[in-house]
Amino acid sequence: MDKQLDPTKDDLPLMANTGHMLVRHYTLDLDVDVKSQSIEGTIVFFFETGSRYRNSSSTEEGDCHSWCDKTCKTGASEPCRIPVTSLSACSSKAADNDVAVPGEGGKDTSDKNGNHSNGEQAPGISSSENCCGTEDPGSADFVLVLDCCDLSVLKVEEVDVAAVAGTEKFTRSVKLCDASEELGGLRNQIVHELVSLPADRWEEQLCYYTRCSQAPGCGQLPFITGPWSLEIRKSGIRAPRDFPHAIRIQYKTKPEGQSVTWTTDQSGRPCVYTMGSPINNRALFPCQEPPIALSTWQATIKTTAQFVVLMSGENSAEPVPLQEGVLSWYYYVTMPMPASTFTIAIGCWQEVKAPPFTADVWTNSDFSLPFSQSDFRWHEENCGHVEYPCRFQNPDARLQSVIPYRVFAPWCLVESCKDLVLQLLPQCLSAAYTTLGTHPFSRLDVLIVPSNFSSLGMASPHIIFLSQSVLPGGRHLCGARLCHEIAHAWFGLAIGARDWTEEWISEGFATYLEDIFWARAQQLSHDEVKAQQELKALLRWRRLRDEVQNSEEELQVLRPNKENTGEVSESGASVVKHGLKAEKIFMQVHYLKGYFLLRFLARTIGEASYLASLRKFVHKFHGQLVLSQDFLCMLLEDFPGQKGSGLTVENIFQNWLDTSGIPKPLLEEGETWKECQLVQQVSGEVTKWIQSNQKIRKSSKKKRKQDEVVFQKLLPDQLVLLLESLLEEKTLCPRTLQCLEKTYKLRKQDAEIRHRWCELVVKHKYVPGYGDVEKFLREDQAMGVYLYGELMVNEDAKQQELAHKCFAAAREYMDVSSAKVVAEMLF
């Protein structure tokens, strides 16, 4: 980058120089040792020259898909079995001493400053410092920069892909003048042809990726590691197109690396999973983190036989015995996606068995879709993404209302999942298909992750992580959260944000679609749908109001880079604004304001027309990265009449995306939800409780018998609103709180309701409820962070003691951001 990156700031650096070289495929071969909490092995990168350094026939610089060069496709497809294991080409491993070995033949290939070790650099390293961006023979060596943090890099080497049998067919068009000088060019040509194979040869391509990743090394490369990066050189190489396009890195993770969480599951057994932290996967493997680096991957994971390996992969991997007590698991993907979406979970998971599938489960023969003929004509058009085996062009995939799915959990939660998650999944998947059409991914695993997981859910390709907090209390919270994560298959994964600061493109859409999917999964009537969605809107408005009042203004802006959104430096490096602010992880502004913007657009345009436009957007932009204006421009082009009423991209930016606070159009709408029948019903119950509380206070003085009050049965969201409304009361008597808990059986309700109950307990210092607070902080860590602050703010000795006790018990297992936020509240 042109400016120095300071890792002590709250902006997350994306160091990889994707403008120079762009990764197309990763091949990982890893050994996982849960006992020592380490992952060790190799990763092989297959590169293409970046957009700035291609020949004159390259497409326009800056196009996120211009790197897909489909020329020079040679050779017929050969039958090739994809192996489920891969053997490391390294005959010996360097010692784990963070020292890089000089180049082959004993020649010192370090630069003139002696930078040949991987000792950490000082903060502020520039991602393009000493990086040659020209072909001037007098300039410095080219430097490949990868995103890397908390990894022990042991060795970096060029891979001799030319030594792989069969790759000679990829070099038919190459004319060699001097074999010794052109050998590097020959290898790069093989990689270029390999990554450019057409989509219908994906099996052959994966097979050759495996073979090439096992090829011998042909020279070690000097490297240095900084706090956020790994820099690699090759002596005498001045330009990216001449740099090795296949390199292998041998490395080992560190237990403190924030990309992975080593912990125990709810049954007390050890496990590890990736947590989607702010630093994403750079402490799991060296990678190119900028979203523009769309790539495919394959991974062989070896671990002891007691563990099950789940991963973002298109195949449902079957373990293969390697030696006594050791199994190997192999996964792959053929749809290019950012490295940040790669996910893995290894533990003693039990599969929650479903009834055998029948053929008609996976088709839509009995399903009536609200699609117009124009929806189906979109499928006749060519996709706009780089070439891959796309489900949107597959007639069978377009008829799959429910993709194959599996559910995994620790053994102690299997029965809960069987009664809940397993029953809800097909309904939620079918509802999503009804709304948006073709599922972007061919299968889905759902895993109940350990209790220290810091969110209610996380979606990755082919796998969803769910918090245990969604299991108690019935179908509502679990079903709604499943719908939210399923929505990410389209918005967040198949369609990604080109600039990570535009989180609303992922979370706003998922929050909006969550309601649509869940209503259809429940098969609600039109009136029921409207009433529930207005109730939900009121709850979210209250949450947004509170968050806006209690957060920094700059964190409330959905497009913090404004007109510079999507811009990167000459090398391709950038920073994610506020990416390292710990408190930002727990904020929901981008969820809520994004949701309200989409709801506003749907109400303005009409929901049926709006959803049809969403389906069109999905078909046009799947497999691609977008900015806000890509969606807004297409939507408003479909409804040109709205321009006359003042609905323009500029106005939407001004009112919704580029400013803090609650958007003006939302302020005008807020009062209307209070007229909703479900809300009115809650208002009546709140009045009863306030009157009952007043009578209890009087009767306690005069010892009079209390008249029994009959309270109505409420829906889960109504209970949330009821408890939030009672939280606004200055005083509630202990007997009122006791009656409240008993009336609604609050201890058995879902986590959203129990969270409000715990807030009431803390506010009114209701000692009999302190056990509920302690249980919540222990078992619902995804939601309990701010309860610590409420325990401290009352300055009550018992409550502060409770907060410190709970934090002391949980701190060791908390993710770093959660622990940091809580520690700031307590100390």
Side-chain angles (χ1 to χ4, degrees):
M1 293 183 67
D2 298 329
K3 66 175 183 177
Q4 297 288 302
L5 293 175
D6 185 353
T8 63
K9 291 185 177 179
D10 292 323
D11 294 336
L12 174 68
L14 304 180
M15 305 285 280
N17 52 347
T18 55
H20 302 154
M21 291 184 69
L22 204 58
V23 68
R24 295 291 302 278
H25 186 81
Y26 300 96
T27 299
L28 297 98
D29 187 356
L30 303 175
D31 291 282
V32 178
D33 188 339
V34 175
K35 187 175 181 180
S36 66
Q37 298 189 347
S38 69
I39 299 173
E40 184 173 4
T42 62
I43 180 170
V44 178
F45 296 75
F46 296 88
F47 291 101
E48 278 277 71
T49 307
S51 60
R52 292 187 61 244
Y53 293 95
R54 279 191 227 114
N55 58 34
S56 57
S57 64
S58 297
T59 54
E60 180 180 352
E61 179 188 346
D63 179 356
C64 61
H65 305 295
S66 62
W67 44 264
C68 184
D69 184 350
K70 301 182 179 69
T71 60
C72 305
K73 292 169 182 163
T74 62
S77 177
E78 296 180 351
C80 179
R81 185 181 72 85
I82 302 174
V84 294
T85 62
S86 60
L87 302 175
S88 173
C90 304
S91 57
S92 63
K93 295 183 179 180
D96 186 5
N97 58 4
D98 279 7
V99 176
V101 182
E104 60 182 322
K107 181 181 178 181
D108 186 356
T109 57
S110 62
D111 65 84
K112 294 179 181 179
N113 296 321
N115 289 332
H116 58 264
S117 77
N118 69 340
E120 290 195 351
Q121 294 179 341
I125 180 172
S126 168
S127 65
S128 59
E129 186 178 5
N130 299 324
C131 176
C132 170
T134 72
E135 299 186 36
D136 177 6
S139 60
D141 290 347
F142 168 74
V143 180
L144 172 67
V145 183
L146 300 175
D147 294 297
C148 177
C149 180
D150 289 328
L151 292 177
S152 293
V153 177
L154 308 177
K155 183 166 73 171
V156 180
E157 63 182 345
E158 183 177 357
V159 180
D160 188 7
V161 294
V164 176
T167 56
E168 60 272 7
K169 69 180 178 180
F170 296 137
T171 63
R172 291 170 186 167
S173 61
V174 178
K175 296 179 181 179
L176 298 180
C177 299
D178 184 327
S180 61
E181 291 182 4
E182 294 294 332
L183 192 54
L186 179 69
R187 296 182 187 121
N188 286 355
Q189 176 67 16
I190 290 171
V191 174
H192 170 74
E193 297 290 340
L194 176 56
V195 301
S196 301
L197 284 175
D200 60 2
R201 293 170 64 182
W202 65 270
E203 291 179 283
E204 176 190 7
Q205 186 181 49
L206 276 178
C207 180
Y208 274 105
Y209 279 139
T210 302
R211 291 180 181 178
C212 288
S213 69
Q214 297 170 353
C218 55
Q220 294 188 38
L221 303 174
F223 62 91
I224 53 177
T225 57
W228 293 104
S229 67
L230 170 64
E231 294 190 357
I232 305 168
R233 289 174 168 81
K234 183 175 181 180
S235 181
I237 296 299
R238 308 290 197 259
R241 71 163 50 91
D242 300 323
F243 193 84
H245 280 36
I247 65 169
R248 178 164 46 232
I249 299 175
Q250 183 182 343
Y251 75 97
K252 185 177 182 180
T253 64
K254 297 179 180 180
E256 67 269 22
Q258 292 183 47
S259 295
V260 292
T261 298
W262 301 92
T263 186
T264 55
D265 66 19
Q266 292 85 342
S267 298
R269 298 176 178 180
C271 62
V272 59
Y273 64 92
T274 53
M275 58 192 299
S277 71
I279 68 166
N280 293 305
N281 282 319
R282 66 187 72 187
L284 175 63
F285 56 88
C287 56
Q288 290 187 336
E289 283 277 27
I292 196 174
L294 300 172
S295 60
T296 52
W297 59 74
Q298 60 190 120
T300 300
I301 312 293
K302 297 184 284 292
T303 190
T304 53
Q306 72 191 89
F307 295 109
V308 173
V309 177
L310 302 177
M311 205 187 96
S312 36
E314 293 170 21
N315 58 316
S316 299
E318 293 294 333
V320 174
L322 287 184
Q323 60 195 57
E324 187 176 356
V326 177
L327 297 178
S328 173
W329 304 71
Y330 173 77
Y331 286 92
Y332 65 84
V333 299
T334 61
M335 175 182 173
M337 284 171 288
S340 59
T341 65
F342 181 102
T343 302
I344 192 168
I346 300 169
C348 301
W349 322 123
Q350 302 283 317
E351 183 176 358
V352 185
K353 293 293 185 180
F357 297 125
T358 55
D360 59 351
V361 171
W362 311 122
T363 65
N364 200 43
S365 55
D366 300 321
F367 214 83
S368 176
L369 293 180
F371 292 175
S372 67
Q373 289 301 312
S374 62
D375 286 341
F376 292 103
R377 282 199 294 272
W378 299 335
H379 294 290
E380 299 170 7
E381 303 171 4
N382 292 327
C383 297
H385 52 69
V386 297
E387 192 175 3
Y388 66 82
C390 179
R391 287 175 53 81
F392 286 78
Q393 296 296 332
N394 183 327
D396 292 333
R398 295 205 300 264
L399 293 176
Q400 265 189 321
S401 62
V402 180
I403 55 175
Y405 59 87
R406 302 181 300 178
V407 177
F408 292 86
W411 68 266
C412 63
L413 296 177
V414 166
E415 289 304 315
S416 298
C417 291
K418 187 179 296 183
D419 297 337
L420 195 62
V421 183
L422 208 57
Q423 303 300 319
L424 289 171
L425 252 182
Q427 300 168 33
C428 297
L429 287 167
S430 184
Y433 174 81
T434 306
T435 308
L436 294 179
T438 308
H439 288 278
F441 301 101
S442 57
R443 68 174 198 94
L444 178 64
D445 285 339
V446 175
L447 171 67
I448 305 300
V449 283
S451 57
N452 67 341
F453 188 61
S454 60
S455 170
L456 285 181
M458 184 179 80
S460 299
H462 314 283
I463 186 169
I464 287 172
F465 289 171
L466 276 187
S467 166
Q468 66 177 26
S469 296
V470 305
L471 297 179
R475 294 162 48 94
H476 177 73
L477 182 58
C478 184
R481 196 66 204 188
L482 273 174
C483 288
H484 182 99
E485 302 306 335
I486 288 169
H488 278 310
W490 287 268
F491 292 95
L493 296 175
I495 299 174
R498 206 166 89 205
D499 188 315
W500 277 355
T501 61
E502 291 204 301
E503 295 167 85
W504 84 271
I505 293 176
S506 173
E507 298 299 353
F509 275 92
T511 305
Y512 173 79
L513 289 167
E514 165 191 327
D515 294 354
I516 306 292
F517 293 178
W518 183 225
R520 290 181 171 177
Q522 297 174 89
Q523 299 181 327
L524 300 178
S525 68
H526 177 269
D527 289 343
E528 288 173 322
V529 170
K530 183 179 178 183
Q532 287 199 16
Q533 290 186 356
E534 288 187 351
L535 171 59
K536 199 76 175 180
L538 177 59
L539 287 171
R540 288 178 177 142
W541 184 86
R542 291 168 63 94
R543 199 170 306 161
L544 177 61
R545 177 198 61 192
D546 293 344
E547 196 150 298
V548 164
Q549 291 172 352
N550 296 290
S551 63
E552 299 176 41
E553 284 194 10
E554 60 180 7
L555 298 182
Q556 301 169 18
V557 180
L558 300 194
R559 210 172 66 117
N561 290 332
K562 299 183 181 177
E563 65 275 3
N564 297 321
T565 300
E567 290 185 5
V568 296
S569 69
E570 185 178 318
S571 71
S574 63
V575 295
V576 181
K577 198 170 182 64
H578 312 309
L580 291 177
K581 273 189 174 287
E583 62 269 31
K584 189 174 184 296
I585 298 171
F586 304 101
M587 291 183 63
Q588 294 192 331
V589 165
H590 45 288
Y591 292 73
L592 300 172
K593 287 177 74 171
Y595 154 80
F596 279 117
L597 168 57
L598 298 175
R599 190 175 189 273
F600 166 76
L601 293 172
R603 288 167 59 86
T604 302
I605 293 166
E607 187 175 275
S609 299
Y610 177 72
L611 290 178
S613 190
L614 270 192
R615 290 192 292 273
K616 179 181 175 182
F617 179 75
V618 163
H619 192 268
K620 182 175 180 179
F621 285 101
H622 69 272
Q624 301 177 62
L625 302 170
V626 300
L627 299 174
S628 296
Q629 53 262 41
D630 294 316
F631 167 68
L632 297 173
C633 287
M634 197 206 79
L635 181 70
L636 296 181
E637 282 174 8
D638 285 351
F639 304 99
Q642 294 296 331
K643 190 172 183 180
S645 61
L647 190 63
T648 64
V649 173
E650 293 75 18
N651 285 344
I652 292 171
F653 281 164
Q654 183 178 352
N655 288 328
W656 292 91
L657 302 181
D658 292 354
T659 55
S660 61
I662 296 179
K664 292 179 182 177
L666 188 54
L667 289 171
E668 298 166 2
E669 191 182 4
E671 291 297 316
T672 61
W673 302 315
K674 296 179 181 178
E675 306 302 319
C676 165
Q677 180 184 356
L678 294 180
V679 175
Q680 290 286 324
Q681 188 177 357
V682 172
S683 298
E685 297 305 292
V686 170
T687 301
K688 289 181 187 177
W689 280 106
I690 293 173
Q691 292 172 346
S692 176
N693 182 61
Q694 291 171 346
K695 290 178 181 178
I696 288 173
R697 290 178 65 187
K698 292 177 182 178
S699 65
S700 64
K701 295 176 182 177
K702 299 181 180 179
K703 307 285 186 183
R704 289 190 309 198
K705 187 175 181 180
Q706 177 79 7
D707 294 331
E708 188 170 346
V709 182
V710 178
F711 296 100
Q712 295 186 43
K713 186 176 181 180
L714 299 176
L715 297 171
D717 282 338
Q718 287 181 298
L719 260 179
V720 170
L721 181 59
L722 172 80
L723 297 180
E724 286 187 0
S725 300
L726 292 177
L727 271 166
E728 296 170 358
E729 292 300 306
K730 187 175 181 180
T731 305
L732 292 180
C733 298
R735 280 176 57 197
T736 300
L737 292 169
Q738 181 185 32
C739 183
L740 187 68
E741 194 287 318
K742 185 178 179 181
T743 299
Y744 301 114
K745 297 181 174 58
L746 294 178
R747 293 189 174 102
K748 295 183 179 180
Q749 296 290 349
D750 68 42
E752 291 277 11
I753 296 168
R754 286 185 287 111
H755 185 272
R756 273 65 173 189
W757 164 241
C758 288
E759 288 182 286
L760 280 169
V761 168
V762 172
K763 177 175 179 177
H764 298 292
K765 301 178 183 179
Y766 180 58
V767 176
Y770 283 4
D772 300 332
V773 176
E774 183 176 353
K775 185 173 186 288
F776 193 91
L777 291 176
R778 185 176 68 251
E779 298 181 0
D780 298 286
Q781 293 182 33
M783 302 179 66
V785 168
Y786 288 112
L787 270 180
Y788 283 101
E790 292 170 26
L791 283 168
M792 297 301 292
V793 77
N794 279 338
E795 298 186 354
D796 178 86
K798 284 187 177 180
Q799 291 192 359
Q800 292 185 351
E801 180 184 353
L802 178 60
H804 284 277
K805 174 186 174 183
C806 291
F807 186 51
R811 185 172 194 170
E812 180 183 352
Y813 304 100
M814 276 186 173
D815 72 270
V816 174
S817 296
S818 298
K820 181 179 178 181
V821 170
V822 174
E824 288 175 354
M825 294 174 181
L826 268 59
F827 305 108

